Amino acid sequence: MNLDLVLARFDAEVRANPAPPAGIAVERRDGLVLLTGGFNYVSAWDLTTQTMGGAVAEQVAWFRARGEELMWRVYDHDGPPGLAACLAEAGFEPAPPGTLMFFDLAGDVAGAPADGVEVRRVRTLEDLDGFVSAGGKAFGHEEAWQRAAFAKQLDDPDMALFIACVAGEAVASARLEMAPGRTFGQLFGGGVAPAHRRRGLYRALVAARVAEARARGLAYLSIEARDTSRPILERLGFVPAGRETTWTLRPYGLPEEASAASS
């Protein structure tokens, strides 16, 4: 894999020209590409050291006037210099950093789970409840907004939700997002309930999404990996492309827990 070429392609295709999920709009203003709607996210930008301060201040004013949260993800290779410090000064708060990783779908992933584990794609509302519940077990809190958002997309070919079940109970979940005419699929989630870790469920969920993406004719997968997931993904053939930090601007007076629940 030519990492520089893949990274440039990712920036141009996924970030600068995003294909938003249902209910999310793409806006271009002040040198920024933003996703807005169910969540607000700065996807790409064309800023200089001279223009970034004004652009950041304008977005802070815009979203705080509406009482809405805004996320801005910054990668190692992003400019302009001093952007992270500018975001911090404007009131954005950093999440723990992760690692952007790519997988070349010309390769393969071995991901057979332990006996008694079933991995399947979510097709029903019952399985969607299991998906949300499994995420809650894995990460410590349920993302309740997912029920309403994903219920409308169970037959959407551009999004695939997966669960891993033990004795009929969903104990792990993961998501794959795709878009027509694109070469990248994006991996999200990938959490396993603590009592069921070290049984191959995470690897099996990756393998299921690799198979789905390859069937769609995609060339690569991307993921922003937590430090706990990165070693597993590297063993599966994912290649690190640099660190990333997601900066979040929270509405005035809204505690972090309440803000996260509404995003």
Side-chain angles (χ1 to χ4, degrees), residues 134 137-139 171-173 190-198 201-202 205:
K137 295 167 189 168
F139 299 115
V171 296
S173 61
V192 181
H196 297 277
R197 291 171 184 166
R198 302 185 184 279
L201 277 71
Y202 185 90
L205 288 169

Side-chain angles (χ1 to χ4, degrees), residues 41-128:
Y41 171 66
V42 179
S43 177
W45 55 92
D46 181 15
L47 300 174
T48 67
T49 52
Q50 290 74 36
T51 62
M52 71 177 175
V56 169
E58 200 158 326
Q59 300 315 311
V60 169
W62 175 276
F63 285 99
R64 279 201 162 147
R66 288 156 178 75
E68 297 179 13
E69 186 174 277
L70 174 64
M71 295 177 289
W72 193 316
R73 180 168 289 156
V74 180
Y75 297 88
D76 275 350
H77 64 285
D78 285 331
L83 177 59
C86 182
L87 292 172
E89 186 175 349
F92 285 79
E93 302 169 6
T99 302
L100 174 64
M101 306 183 76
F102 296 118
F103 181 78
D104 187 338
L105 285 164
D108 206 354
V109 167
D115 290 342
V117 176
E118 178 192 7
V119 174
R120 66 174 181 262
R121 186 167 176 177
V122 173
R123 298 286 191 185
T124 67
L125 292 177
E126 181 180 1
D127 275 352
L128 178 58

Side-chain angles (χ1 to χ4, degrees), residues 135-206:
K137 295 167 189 168
F139 299 115
H141 64 278
E142 285 193 7
E143 299 285 358
W145 62 269
Q146 293 180 341
R147 285 189 175 88
F150 295 159
K152 306 170 186 176
Q153 297 177 268
L154 295 184
D155 295 323
D156 185 347
D158 297 336
M159 187 185 71
L161 307 178
F162 291 90
I163 52 175
C165 300
V166 175
E169 177 189 4
V171 296
S173 61
R175 183 167 102 246
L176 166 65
E177 292 188 5
M178 303 165 283
R182 304 300 175 93
T183 56
F184 286 88
Q186 295 177 271
L187 304 186
F188 297 96
V192 181
H196 297 277
R197 291 171 184 166
R198 302 185 184 279
R199 299 183 62 188
L201 277 71
Y202 185 90
R203 293 192 304 274
L205 288 169
V206 172

Side-chain angles (χ1 to χ4, degrees), residues 20-25 36-39:
I24 302 297
T36 61
F39 59 87

Side-chain angles (χ1 to χ4, degrees), residues 4-25:
D4 289 339
L5 289 179
V6 174
L7 186 58
R9 192 171 180 179
F10 175 79
D11 285 344
E13 179 180 306
V14 176
R15 299 180 66 196
N17 189 28
I24 302 297

